[in-house]
Amino acid sequence: MYNNILDVEGLKVGQVENEKGLTGCTVVLCEEGATCGVDVRGAAPGTRETDLLDPINMVQMVHAVVLSGGSSFGLEASCGVSNYLEEHDIGFDVGVTKVPIVVGAVLFDLSVGDSKCRPDKKMGYKACEVATSKELKQGNYGAGCGATVGKSRGQEFSMRGGIGSHSIKLDNGLVVSAIVAVNAFGDIYEGGNIIAGVLDDDKKTKLNSYELMKKGVSSGGFSIDNTTIGVVATNAIFTKADCKKVSQMAHDGYARAIFPIHTQHDGDTIFTMSTGKIEADVTLVGSIAVEVVEKSIVNAVKNAKSSGSLVSYRDLENECASKNTKIKILK
């Protein structure tokens, strides 16, 4: 096992980023098609083709899920994915051609790097070209390139987010995995403790976003530079309704690892892809999805690197270790 989303046979992941713009996109490809459902909980989403995933609607399979930076501009990357798939004769057969079914969601990273540099058709196409089933980079890659977390005091005092993945395989062959681009308004928790989020003026002391909010620290208005988006993938045999239910349950993984979550300033979205290989119980898969989503979020933050004035979990930990001190967390 790779211990990431590539453990689900039939999937490939391609990631491309622009270091100048601090943005990028991540494409999860399933060339044979995957049953898909979605659940949106954040109040500021940017999505493509989510209505198609309603269980009452006709098309049953998707061929790609695109996670992208660039806010709504980044939805253009999905068009490049469609072009690539059509050129490779992959899609829903409508007689005159095959129409690739590409769904996706975006996060807001325009204020981190060059706001005029956004994921586009070319980047989406390139992500398909480099897609592989052998290797997955985590941290500031793909849609996680410009991701940040903990923005109750604004972008200046946030920490690095990123993209992360985790996978669980049971003895009967069932695999449940996730990949998440973490660009949250809230702080990131592991085991009930804040590991990344809003910083004090010294940018070495972690604060608590929820406590700051209660004290009215952000009375001037909260940052809009947010949204956590992800994909749960499994080899279970599921319907679109089953996949939607898994996505609903998987949001508990967001809630375990991020707080505050699902705010007015986030567009939090989870897709679930099913490759249809093994019989499985929806409740079991949904419960496992909570765990893999939670651990994917933690992996995203722990693999991130500092950039400019943005501090990463890793570098903050290393600095304290070198000085034999502990990171302060003000309540």
Side-chain angles (χ1 to χ4, degrees), residues 138-139 161-165 180 182 295-304:
Q138 301 185 54
I163 196 159
S165 186
V180 183
V182 185
K295 291 183 176 178
S296 294
I297 292 167
V298 172
N299 286 342
V301 167
K302 287 190 171 182
N303 283 283

Side-chain angles (χ1 to χ4, degrees), residues 22 46 49 66 88 109 143 167 175 200 230 262 305 315 320 324 330:
L22 287 178
E49 292 279 37
V66 181
H88 289 77
D109 56 8
S167 178
V175 179
D200 204 351
H262 302 146
K305 298 178 181 179
D315 288 344
C320 289
N324 198 28
L330 300 185

